Amino acid sequence: MSNEKGLQDAHVKIGTKQTTRMVQTGMVSEVYVAEDSDPQLTSKIIALCEQHNVKYTKVDTMKNLGKACGIGVGAAMAAVVKS
């Protein structure tokens, strides 16, 4: 993932529930989705992003997304909060 340092520096909400809530309220500038996470979850958040005109980026693994966010476990998705 090329934006690792940027995600650690940005205000990020990690996880399915928080990401979904933030997209619904229109408070995110971008969403990152791990390609190896549950397809039911990823398809829902991608559809929600498209509905709310939010840019989303796919990341190869949950482990890499978690690392990019500065946490020691994998993450299915993360949302960058608008500043």
Side-chain angles (χ1 to χ4, degrees):
M1 198 171 144
S2 62
N3 198 15
E4 284 185 29
K5 190 63 179 164
L7 275 182
Q8 289 180 6
D9 292 341
H11 186 90
V12 178
K13 295 290 185 178
I14 303 166
T16 304
K17 288 181 184 177
Q18 290 190 43
T19 300
T20 301
R21 190 176 316 122
M22 297 305 288
V23 171
Q24 289 173 334
T25 60
M27 298 185 65
V28 297
S29 58
E30 186 169 6
V31 170
Y32 291 88
V33 179
E35 291 183 323
D36 66 341
S37 60
D38 183 348
Q40 285 184 318
L41 297 177
T42 57
S43 63
K44 286 180 184 177
I45 197 66
I46 288 171
L48 194 60
C49 286
E50 290 173 349
Q51 179 183 353
H52 289 273
N53 295 320
V54 174
K55 179 184 173 189
Y56 64 91
T57 302
K58 292 185 179 180
V59 180
D60 55 352
T61 66
M62 291 173 60
K63 182 178 178 180
N64 286 343
L65 182 55
K67 183 179 176 184
C69 292
I71 60 174
V73 295
M77 58 193 71
V80 179
V81 179
K82 288 181 182 177
S83 44

